[in-house]
Amino acid sequence: MNEIMRKTYELIDVLEDSDLIRDLEMYRTRIMDDEVLSTLIREGNSTKDEYVLLDIKRRLYLNKNYKGYMDKYNELMYLVMDINYRYRKLLGKGSCHR
């Protein structure tokens, strides 16, 4: 197996065992078990009204579990973006059609 692929799989294994992923899963479970939060999220996903959506987001962010989830989610996304940036820098655009 290519060394880059092997190291990438090792990175994924480390991420899966990290506190970041454990916290993300913990917050997700708490949110899914909270009927009020689940209802607000469903309403937010189905509304087209910007004012209603802003009110729902405000109410969601008042909940410590939702806020914790979003903080961990953003941290993970920035980490993934940084990894992707580094791969692009090393490997180029990745297009076979040049």
Side-chain angles (χ1 to χ4, degrees):
M1 180 185 302
N2 183 322
E3 184 178 351
I4 293 174
M5 289 176 60
R6 187 173 51 76
K7 292 292 186 180
T8 300
Y9 285 124
E10 287 176 14
L11 172 63
I12 291 169
D13 290 341
V14 169
L15 277 174
E16 286 177 345
D17 293 334
S18 71
D19 289 338
L20 174 63
I21 298 299
R22 270 195 291 279
D23 289 346
L24 194 61
E25 290 172 346
M26 175 199 58
Y27 284 124
R28 182 182 182 276
T29 302
R30 288 180 183 176
I31 290 168
M32 298 307 288
D33 291 343
D34 187 326
E35 191 58 40
V36 174
L37 286 179
S38 296
T39 302
L40 279 173
I41 292 169
R42 277 193 302 276
E43 287 175 16
N45 288 335
S46 64
T47 188
K48 302 283 188 223
D49 187 336
E50 287 295 318
Y51 292 109
V52 171
L53 186 59
L54 286 172
D55 182 56
I56 289 172
K57 284 182 179 181
R58 182 190 57 78
R59 290 167 47 198
L60 285 170
Y61 271 97
L62 291 175
N63 182 284
K64 67 177 179 152
N65 290 321
Y66 184 82
K67 184 177 180 329
Y69 176 83
M70 292 308 294
D71 289 345
K72 296 298 178 181
Y73 179 85
N74 287 332
E75 186 178 337
L76 178 61
M77 286 303 104
Y78 283 121
L79 180 62
V80 169
M81 286 171 38
D82 184 49
I83 291 168
N84 287 336
Y85 170 76
R86 290 175 186 215
Y87 273 133
R88 264 195 314 279
K89 217 165 100 174
L90 290 171
L91 305 173
K93 285 197 176 240
S95 174
C96 296
H97 307 287
R98 292 190 179 182

